[in-house]
Amino acid sequence: MKRLMSGNAALGEAAILSGCTCYFGYPITPQNELTEYMAKRMPESGGVFIQSESEIAAINMVLGASVAGARAMTSSSSPGMSLKQEGISYLAADELPAVIVNMVRGGPGMGNISPAQSDYLQATRGGGHGDYRTIVLAPSSVQELVDIVPLAFDLADAYRNPVIILGDGMLGQMMEPVDFSDIKKPKDYPKDYILTGAENRPSRMVRSLLFDTKEEEEHNWKLYRKFQRIEANEVRCETFMTDDAEIVVVAYGIAARIAKGAIKRLRQENIKAGLLRPITLWPFPSKNIVELARYVNDFFVFEMSTGQMIEDVKLALSGRGHVNFYGRPGGVIPTPIELARIVSRHYYQTQKVKRQ
Amino acid sequence: MKKIYTRPASLKEAHFHYCPGCGHGIINRLIAEVIDEMGLRGKAICVAPAGCGMLVYNYFDIDTLESAHGRGAAVATGIKRVRPDNLVFSYQGDGDLAAIGTAEGFHAANRGELITVIFVNNGVYGMTGGQMAPTTLKEQITTTTPSGRNPVSAGHPVRVCEVFSVLDGTSYLERVAVNSPSGIKKTKKAIAKAFQHQINRTGFSLVEILSPCPTNWKMSPIESFRWIDEVMTKQFPLGVIKEVKC
């Protein structure tokens, strides 16, 4: 049965159904509905809810819960995510699973509380100090948000690495009908690293301090090999009307949904536009873009920022196609008609160039 | 022949890295002895700090996590909430607990988290080379207060136990010192008592231990021990600061 829920609340329910037993949060708009939902539902389901004194405390409580063996989650929005980066770096270094939600808002600084995509680089480049990556999942509807939550927990456990769910203020706050019936009981991951007390076994230590540079270097290469495995196995993306496309829009999250509307309009004008929507922002679907570049020369990156993912598109193509950009930062929500207008103008301009 | 003195089972067979005359080695041993005597080795989980106490996981033969600087009480909270039947304690220095980790320690105490903080107060940042700590005394010379701590610009030494004592979540707060045989005995008792408060789920417990740092105080070990009695305890009076019926 479908239920009408906000993205934030639906995410909370999906997390509980995915076996999340610990949630630690600090109020910040536009993700408060998730913290409030967990405050009510966690005690009902026998889990742990703490409203922490800060985002820094919340991520460290997540780390503690994770090292104790629980599926743990925290959530925030852009300014709060900056504070969580210390803990995320430690989670990655200690190889501890965790799910961290960022309902992105306009920035930098205090910014505003409107939807934005300006934390792409922070999310996909690690975000904190040191050589590490986080898996970044970017859903574009409330149902996909629900579907992605169990995946986020599974990936975190499978790779023992923090996973970021990168949404935005719109995805978090809009209400859509959702179905939770596809969420299965979480499978058991062997956790031979957790701290339970050294009862009838040798004591364990979990640490990231490695004074010996050779040891620290090997730890970094070990993490790097893991990140290579993730890049090889975990890329996810969606294509929409790309089979005969002459121009491909690359957009993720809520911007991809706006782009779909634009593409439908463009198709009505007989402009052969398609969409590539990365679902994993890291690992980035570079190979899928290169594959499209075999017959498409024109790429149009669309983001609710001044252009961050465009770097990954350019890196993927490495000169194999033209990369254009349209973006609206600062919490402005562009419309499908606006994007269609921009793309069609570009299309006719380049067609003219082709005729000359 | 009867063995009258041996390494506690909760300590690994390792050499301490601590400087001569440092109090950490004594405190590590006392914690290990208490864990052994209370039969808690299989239940204990330690959260190590950043600073001189960081390497306790090389010495404690119990499950240990190294936390980020100052976050020990938050991490310990996460562990304890998942494993309420374990003994969870953080081992923190003065910079760790009273400067960068003030919020985490204060709020864990205020929530009455059933954890124990072993708070080692030696009045300086030891590992980084003897800079001013929140607990550095007035006029005390450190590398960042070269002409002595001036409260007008550098603030006053923080009395952690007294600050925490007004929080309703705390149940046992005692200040002790490891500069004499009787002080060491009292410290051991205080640690055991704090753990008992955790086991009985009475509330948040903390033992503040005045501990010598001869290297950074630029004193001999004997002078440091004396300095604790003659100077440090004037600012940080010893004794039970708060005890709720356990």
Side-chain angles (χ1 to χ4, degrees), chain A residues 10-26:
Chain A
L11 200 163
E13 187 59 33
I16 290 169
L17 292 172
S18 306
C20 172
T21 56
C22 293
Y23 171 87
F24 309 100
Y26 184 87

Side-chain angles (χ1 to χ4, degrees), chain A residues 205, chain B residues 7-18 24-25 28-29 32 52-62 64:
Chain A
M205 60 166 140
Chain B
R7 178 175 49 81
S10 297
L11 271 190
K12 289 175 190 161
E13 210 170 333
H15 292 288
F16 287 133
H17 73 287
Y18 306 120
H24 275 297
N28 289 183
R29 184 183 167 97
C52 287
M54 183 186 286
L55 298 177
V56 288
Y57 49 67
N58 287 342
Y59 313 132
F60 286 145
D61 198 6
I62 58 172
T64 309

Side-chain angles (χ1 to χ4, degrees), chain A residues 28 59 71 137 173 184 198 205 224 235 241 251 289:
Chain A
I28 184 168
I59 192 73
R71 281 195 155 178
L137 303 172
Q173 297 199 317
K184 292 179 191 71
M205 60 166 140
Y224 180 73
V235 171
M241 301 189 120
I289 290 182

